[in-house]
Structures are given as structure tokens and as C-alpha cells.
Amino acid sequence: MAQALWDSDTNRLQPGKDYRISLQGKAGKVALNDDNNDNNDISDDNDAAGFPLFTFVDESIFQKETFKAFISLLDNYVSDTGEPEIVTPEEEAENHKFLDSIIRSATMKIAHKHLVEKNLSPESDTEFKKQLYRIWPDSSGFEHVFVGETRRGRTVIGFHNWIQLYLQEKLGHIDYKGYSVDANSPQPDENKHIMALQFSWKNGIKPKGSIFMGVSPEFEFALYTLCFLSSPNEHVKVQFSLYDVEIVCHHYNQKHIGTTYPMLVRYQTPPLTE
């Protein structure tokens, strides 16, 4: 099923053509101070990247329906987890517009058909939209995963979306610190569609985060929703293209997504072409 979603993602950007990134160095480890200590200084000794992560993005893609609707949601949230969210009628309308665009996409249609066949989702688009609304906007799942949050202004939590990362870096709010890799992880590559990285945002630090790169909003939304509804496990293994991936998907009260993100387990080297 993951392969079918991947194949249907015609809005996916091509690395090196539609966007380019600069990995630079491996980020250092970050030791966060105790929660009772308000001084959580981030040492530049951990910064292995003197330049931004993104060197180019073809922003014409952002005019496509799902991208445009997705981007309109990114400024609807207060990043501090201690601040209450107030949803305006305009923001609620933007939520509905985004879900409508996602449901119309070929990628989500594939996921929806599969979920209906497994008796996990209603067949009606109207009822399916209500289910998606409950899973995502009605909880903090969308904000946590796609927008990002800060805890006590010092630690960045969530923030697993490349579009938000690019737009915030463009505004000067992101300081990319370098890529993250451990002994069991595949080596990073500027042409891979998944990477782990470290960055600071709004004076907080994300010690390590893993994100899809260059994929469309409908692909992430469809894949994460599929994993959440079809598996009780919080670690779902999927395969598509050259990627063996583990989707981490924490359930909240079995009705909402707490967090979800990809972890690259294995990358198959593409065959050489003559």
C-alpha cells in the first residue's frame, strides 16, 4: 500500500532539480538542562552547519491546490504548548478547505479505498472528512507533526515537515545545525527523500528530528492516517521505492495522533544504468 501511495504522488519534488539541500556536517549531541532551569543555552560547538539547509526550492509547486491549502494552516497555531489555542471561523474554514483538497487527491483516494475495504473508514467522503478532522485538527496532532511546538520556549517538539522547515528557515527563524546519524542508520544523502537533522527554532532546540523531504502534503497525510488507523502498533514498517522505513505513530486515547514521523531503516542503492 505504501508503494501505491508513493507511485501516486505526482506532486513530489525531485531532489537536485526542484529543490536542493546542503547537508554540511554531522550535528553534535545536545544536553538539555533540567526542566526547572530556565537557562537552556545552545552551544555553537554543536553547530556543524555554517549555511542554511535549503539552497533552492522551486516555489511554483506551492501554488498547487494541496500545497497552497496546507501552507495556509501553518500560521494558525501558537507554538508554546502552554498557550491555549483559539480557533477562529476563518481558521476553521481553512481546515475544511485543506481536508477537501486532500480528499480529492489521487493519493488520499487510494488510502481511503483501502481503509474502506478494511472497514476502518466510512465510504462517504463527507463522513471520511469528519473522521480526518477528529484525528488531526480536533487534536494537537496536526500542529505537533506539521507545524511544530515549543515546550517552555527551550525545546522544540514535533516539527516533522519539510515545507514548514523551508519556510521558517527562509524567514530566518531556523538555524540548521547539521544532519543526525548513528551507527545503525543509513548515511545521509542530499538526494534521499528522508533525513534526520538538528536545528534550533524560536530559541528552542530540536536535538534530532526525522522528516520526509520533497514529498507532497497528501502523501504524508495519507500515509500517516493509514498507519494510524490500520495498525495498533506504534512502529509500522513500510517499504516503497528504495526505502525501508519505520513510521513512528503514537496514539493519543486511540482516537487522535499524538505524533508521527518517518525513520529511515535501510536504503537500497539504485542499480547502475549504462
Side-chain angles (χ1 to χ4, degrees), residues 42-59:
I42 304 167
S43 172
D44 285 338
D45 293 342
N46 293 320
D47 197 338
F51 300 96
L53 172 64
F54 289 93
T55 61
F56 166 74
V57 172
D58 181 356
E59 293 191 6

Side-chain angles (χ1 to χ4, degrees), residues 188-207:
D189 187 312
E190 292 174 357
N191 291 316
K192 289 176 182 171
H193 280 285
I194 302 175
M195 75 170 293
L197 70 164
Q198 182 185 119
F199 60 91
S200 63
W201 178 54
K202 295 187 175 181
N203 299 318
I205 184 71
K206 180 74 174 179

Side-chain angles (χ1 to χ4, degrees), residues 68-244:
K68 196 170 184 177
F70 175 80
I71 291 171
S72 74
L73 303 181
L74 298 179
D75 62 355
N76 290 353
Y77 299 91
V78 178
S79 63
D80 194 329
T81 55
E83 292 290 327
E85 297 287 352
I86 299 174
V87 181
T88 67
E90 180 184 5
E91 290 170 349
E92 186 172 354
E94 288 175 343
N95 286 336
H96 285 285
K97 186 175 182 179
F98 170 68
L99 289 179
D100 286 339
S101 71
I102 290 293
I103 289 173
R104 283 194 295 267
S105 71
T107 306
M108 185 54 97
K109 285 183 182 296
I110 292 171
H112 184 198
K113 182 175 183 292
H114 177 79
L115 290 168
V116 170
E117 290 172 350
K118 297 296 183 181
N119 295 316
L120 295 170
S121 292
E123 186 172 1
S124 158
D125 281 353
T126 301
E127 294 303 313
F128 182 48
K129 179 182 171 183
K130 290 179 182 178
Q131 183 184 36
L132 293 177
Y133 206 102
R134 187 198 75 229
I135 294 171
W136 292 99
D138 270 354
S139 70
S140 62
F142 182 90
E143 176 187 9
H144 181 89
V145 174
F146 295 107
V147 183
E149 300 176 289
T150 55
R151 181 182 290 133
R152 295 185 177 89
R154 303 193 310 278
T155 305
V156 177
I157 57 176
F159 206 131
H160 299 288
N161 180 259
W162 77 268
I163 300 171
Q164 170 73 337
L165 186 71
Y166 165 71
L167 293 175
Q168 288 294 301
E169 185 177 65
K170 183 180 177 182
L171 290 171
H173 299 160
I174 292 284
D175 183 4
Y176 171 61
K177 303 291 185 182
Y179 63 84
S180 298
V181 65
D182 57 40
N184 298 319
S185 302
Q187 287 298 307
D189 187 312
E190 292 174 357
N191 291 316
K192 289 176 182 171
H193 280 285
I194 302 175
M195 75 170 293
L197 70 164
Q198 182 185 119
F199 60 91
S200 63
W201 178 54
K202 295 187 175 181
N203 299 318
I205 184 71
K206 180 74 174 179
K208 183 178 181 180
S210 187
I211 61 175
F212 280 111
M213 295 293 295
V215 300
S216 70
E218 56 264 37
F219 173 79
E220 286 194 89
F221 215 74
L223 180 60
Y224 292 152
T225 301
L226 190 69
C227 290
F228 172 75
L229 290 173
S230 62
S231 176
N233 299 317
E234 296 196 336
H235 296 265
V236 184
K237 293 182 179 178
V238 297
Q239 292 180 310
F240 52 86
S241 184
L242 303 171
Y243 303 91
D244 290 359

